[in-house]
Amino acid sequence: GERGEVRQPLLAALHTSSHLSSPFSHQTMSLYPSLEDFTVDQHAKAAVTASHQAAQAILGVPPAPGTASAGLYSGLGLEELVEYGGLDISQASLVQYMGQDIAARMTPAHTTDNRIAVITKPGDLGMARAAIQQGVHEAVLEKGADGKLGVALNAVDKGVFVAFVWAGSPAARAGLRFGDQILQINGATVAGWTSDKSMKALRSAAGKVSFIVRDRPFERTITTVKDRFNHIGFTLNNGEISALVADSSAARNGLLIHHNLVEVNGQNVVAMKDKDIIQLIQEAPPSVTLTIMPTFMYNHLIKNIGFSTIRKYMDHSVPDL
């Protein structure tokens, strides 16, 4: 009678929605900004998968999205599991099992990939400003009234690299950055050129100068998450990463000693005082993207410039997007 009439549409719904018992099994692999983002998302997905499995086992259909809860997973269909399956997704439980630092930053995600919870928000400005693009591009610089471009080049391993960008100079306005590799100057390939030959080519060029550039091949970016003390977990000694704090975000995400910190959220910090770099990090959002370079390469690039000159005149502005 009435019971049979009710069960038929339920069974039909269960059949048509059976793929929901494993909602992430057919989705492509996500790349995560940090290990903390990975951990958060995996916990969230496990909870969502459990909700579907419990709903099918107990109710016969996937649960309807929740409407009343304002908790972390509101709208993901997990609220019913607290009543039927005993799944504890309260904030207190998240803190107990994941730690205060991560739990406090967990938010539902609205992303274009298959992440459902994030710490580092999609479109994070620090990551965008720090991004190292693959491929090559052209930068056209026009000499200033003083006849200078505001860039110094240094040769390393048969390549030519940007070792200094003067603040407010044509090079700074064109977006050249410390560590960029120069492949051509006015159409001439510079592989094998010395530092002196490279700088002579710039001085002798008239008017506009065309550079073909590969973004910072000796550098890499690491996104970290600050803890409740506003720390990432490393120490600096004249810009060099000298130690890591055990089980810190810096350690978890693969920051290395014997590397120099060259950017914070895309902003150049070369030759800045350690206390100023630390202040910059402390004033940054919870997710901080660090750009690092092996110290041997860093020292090679700056050795002919002069540390005091770099500290005083290097372009430390926030890059445009």
Side-chain angles (χ1 to χ4, degrees):
E2 293 179 357
R3 185 180 182 91
E5 292 173 359
V6 171
R7 284 186 60 81
Q8 285 183 0
L10 286 177
L11 289 173
L14 178 60
H15 175 73
T16 57
S17 303
S18 61
H19 67 283
L20 292 175
S21 62
S22 181
F24 308 106
S25 58
H26 300 294
Q27 298 191 4
T28 57
M29 177 185 67
S30 289
L31 293 176
Y32 297 87
S34 67
L35 184 59
E36 290 84 356
D37 282 284
F38 172 81
T39 301
V40 161
D41 194 50
Q42 293 304 302
H43 277 273
K45 287 178 177 176
V48 172
T49 299
S51 77
H52 286 274
Q53 293 172 344
Q56 288 181 334
I58 298 170
L59 304 177
V61 290
T67 56
S69 172
L72 171 63
Y73 296 114
S74 175
L76 295 180
L78 302 185
E79 291 80 1
E80 291 84 350
L81 285 185
V82 176
E83 178 180 356
Y84 291 109
L87 176 64
D88 186 359
I89 57 169
S90 66
Q91 186 69 16
S93 178
L94 292 173
V95 171
Q96 179 182 354
Y97 292 107
M98 301 184 65
Q100 177 67 47
D101 302 332
I102 293 179
R105 292 175 171 84
M106 290 176 67
T107 57
H110 302 282
T111 67
T112 55
D113 54 26
N114 72 340
R115 290 181 290 154
I116 64 173
V118 301
I119 300 173
T120 306
K121 304 295 191 300
D124 179 83
L125 289 177
M127 287 186 62
R129 290 175 176 138
I132 298 174
Q133 304 295 335
Q134 300 302 312
V136 301
H137 63 91
E138 183 181 33
V140 178
L141 283 64
E142 186 168 4
K143 289 187 175 182
D146 59 0
K148 296 180 180 179
L149 296 171
V151 62
L153 306 178
N154 209 337
V156 181
D157 293 342
K158 302 298 182 180
V160 174
F161 297 84
V162 174
F164 176 75
V165 177
W166 196 289
S169 67
R173 292 193 295 271
L176 288 184
R177 290 161 83 157
F178 178 83
D180 279 345
Q181 184 177 6
I182 306 303
L183 304 180
Q184 289 187 343
I185 298 175
N186 283 341
T189 299
V190 302
W193 285 17
T194 63
S195 302
D196 288 342
K197 183 175 180 179
S198 301
M199 293 304 299
K200 183 178 180 180
L202 298 186
R203 288 190 291 268
S204 62
K208 294 182 179 180
V209 180
S210 168
F211 292 83
I212 302 300
V213 183
R214 184 180 298 280
D215 281 4
R216 299 162 285 155
F218 281 100
E219 299 173 23
R220 67 185 180 107
T221 63
I222 298 175
T223 299
T224 58
V225 177
K226 293 193 284 186
D227 63 21
R228 64 182 179 274
F229 302 110
N230 207 27
H231 297 160
I232 293 172
F234 67 94
T235 59
L236 283 175
N237 183 9
N238 289 326
E240 181 180 350
I241 299 164
S242 57
L244 303 178
V245 177
D247 199 34
S248 64
S249 184
R252 286 192 295 266
N253 285 286
L255 200 66
L256 300 174
I257 63 171
H258 305 309
H259 281 65
N260 272 70
L261 187 59
V262 296
E263 291 181 357
V264 174
N265 283 336
Q267 180 177 350
N268 183 284
V269 297
V270 172
M272 283 177 59
K273 296 179 180 179
D274 291 345
K275 65 180 183 64
D276 294 331
I277 297 174
I278 292 169
Q279 181 178 350
L280 189 64
I281 292 172
Q282 290 177 338
E283 294 174 351
S287 293
V288 182
T289 298
L290 308 175
T291 305
I292 61 174
M293 171 186 282
T295 296
F296 76 89
M297 180 63 182
Y298 175 90
N299 289 338
H300 194 98
L301 282 182
I302 70 169
K303 67 179 182 180
N304 294 329
I305 308 299
F307 196 80
S308 60
T309 299
I310 295 176
R311 172 169 288 176
K312 186 174 182 179
Y313 297 112
M314 174 71 88
D315 178 34
H316 291 136
S317 63
V318 177
D320 295 328
L321 290 177

